[in-house]
Amino acid sequence: MKYFALLTTYGEKVLAEATALGTKIELTHMSVGDGGGSLPAPDTKQTKLINERRKAAINTLFIDPLNPNQIIAEQVIPENEGGWWIREIGLFDKSGTLVAIANCPETYKPLLVEGSGRTQTIRVVLIVSHTESVTLKIDPTVVLATRKYVDDAIQVLDKRISDLTASDVGAVPNTRKVNNKQLNVDITLSAGDVGAYTKAETDTKVADAKKAGTDAQAAANAANTAATNANNNANGRVPSTRKVNNKPLSADISLTAGDVGAYTKAETDTKVADAKKAGTDAQTTANAANTAATNANNNANGRVPSTRKVNNKPLSADISLAAGDVGAYTKAETDTKVADAKKAGTDAQATANSANTAATNANNNANGRVPSTRKVNNKPLSADISLTAGDVGTYTKSEIDNKILASVNNKVFRVSAPTEVGMGISGWSSFSTDQFIVGMRNKNGGPGDVWCDRLKIASLQIMVNGVWVNVTN
């Protein structure tokens, strides 16, 4: 037989123990692999696939209705996974250990980006002697269902629903009460019935919180205005590196509520939204409870199933829903929430006051700075300036060089390129009569021991018939 499935050594061991002790093994995951490029032969000693490509929860696990000794496990691989071959399959228990291993006809699972895609169902049929030793349970939140599984489930559910009668669902007397309101007629639960504030009461409760936020906003706006004035004043002052709330005054700045540690209007509205939401949720839950009670009453001719629950409380006896049961805050809890919001507004007010004081100090500091209209050599300090030789009434280097090269009695002179000569440690050094010293280098031999060891000499030259000659007289 070319294609088959078998239990691993571990699988045989745990199945035997489960059969002997009356316990169960729980199969949870299935993996597929490509066998490393060729069709593998399943081996009982395997603890993993040869080359696993995908591992996920089992979609369907059931006993074959035509053969009670066969357990069928199915897994659905969606279109967005693939790009590999399937040649081997493994089943794992809840400990993650390989229980059964199988091979299958080679099939390629494509990806949509390759130009073709499909949803593929992998099925493993496992023959065991005691199927009652295997737990048939899957997690419906992490798996996909095949179309046939869904169709079968819907068909069974439709039959069960069509066969139900009022007597089947279990009824309760129409004298049963919900929050002390009898179910003999349609009822409507109000916020007060479930221990919550009405919208008007909630609005009143959060008014103080809103006012605190509004006051904080006004203080923040005042701080922003003061900081802007200080910034405008400081734009004509130096230094421009001064900062307000960590923002440098090198350009105009605008402080927001967040810069001064206050909430914006949107943030304040969000803070009080929880207080408003409690009343709204209570109303929504009460309406849902009313609808559920009405539908149950109509379905059972004035009665509701005794297993029916309102906010997870069965109607087998009178019930009373509290604010916590409908997801609302009690009055005490809402007061606490409002107090926190109110404190946040008060803290924001204090922070805004500090920011206003800081902005005033920055303005006073800027007033003591040099105005940008101040001038240096007639150049304003509104930007960086550079003074030239002309600005301070002197010649540039090139102008001075030209002055030196100017003609004297229609003669043009220059200084020749210097040359270096060494000096003896003692004694005199002589030069030509047309040479003169233009530089010297000193040598430091230690404290009190300094001498000149090299000189630079040059000659004064005159232009004669287009040729530079040394001036000797």
Side-chain angles (χ1 to χ4, degrees), residues 250-445:
S250 55
D252 292 346
I253 66 170
S254 294
L255 295 179
T256 65
D259 293 326
V260 299
Y263 287 125
T264 63
K265 289 181 178 181
E267 290 171 328
T268 302
D269 290 342
T270 300
K271 288 291 181 181
V272 301
D274 288 342
K276 288 183 178 180
K277 186 176 182 295
T280 302
D281 289 348
Q283 182 63 47
T284 300
T285 304
N287 291 340
N290 181 39
T291 300
T294 300
N295 292 339
N297 188 53
N298 293 335
N299 184 45
N301 296 324
R303 297 179 181 275
V304 293
S306 60
T307 56
R308 183 60 47 78
K309 296 180 180 180
V310 175
N311 287 60
N312 212 32
K313 291 188 176 183
L315 293 176
S316 55
D318 291 347
I319 64 171
S320 292
L321 297 179
D325 295 325
V326 297
Y329 288 122
T330 63
K331 292 183 178 181
E333 289 172 328
T334 302
D335 288 342
T336 299
K337 290 288 182 180
V338 171
D340 290 343
K342 195 170 185 179
K343 182 178 182 302
T346 303
D347 292 344
Q349 178 67 45
T351 303
N353 291 340
S354 298
N356 194 24
T357 301
T360 301
N361 292 338
N363 189 51
N364 294 336
N365 186 24
N367 286 332
R369 299 297 178 175
V370 177
S372 61
T373 55
R374 185 64 47 76
K375 297 180 179 179
V376 175
N377 286 56
N378 208 34
K379 291 189 176 183
L381 292 176
S382 55
D384 293 344
I385 64 171
S386 296
L387 297 179
T388 64
D391 293 327
V392 297
T394 185
Y395 290 122
T396 64
K397 291 181 179 181
S398 61
E399 288 174 332
I400 292 174
D401 291 341
N402 291 334
K403 289 289 183 181
I404 292 175
L405 293 175
S407 61
V408 178
N409 293 329
N410 294 322
K411 301 295 183 182
V412 179
F413 294 88
R414 76 172 185 181
V415 176
S416 68
T419 59
E420 289 190 17
V421 297
M423 299 294 296
I425 296 178
S426 61
W428 291 94
S429 296
S430 300
F431 310 106
S432 301
T433 57
D434 63 341
Q435 294 178 321
F436 55 91
I437 297 172
V438 295
M440 64 174 60
R441 185 178 76 177
N442 291 331
K443 188 80 171 181
N444 188 354

Side-chain angles (χ1 to χ4, degrees), residues 7 10 67 77 182 191 274 291 307 455 472:
L7 292 173
Y10 169 81
N67 188 340
I77 304 177
Q182 191 170 333
D274 288 342
T291 300
T307 56
L455 294 177
T472 57

Side-chain angles (χ1 to χ4, degrees), residues 112-139:
L112 282 175
V113 294
E114 296 175 334
S116 175
R118 69 171 180 267
T119 298
Q120 184 159 340
T121 301
I122 302 297
R123 169 180 286 197
V124 175
V125 179
L126 196 61
I127 301 175
V128 295
S129 58
H130 297 277
T131 56
E132 65 273 12
S133 299
V134 180
T135 299
L136 303 181
K137 183 175 68 174
I138 61 173
D139 183 355

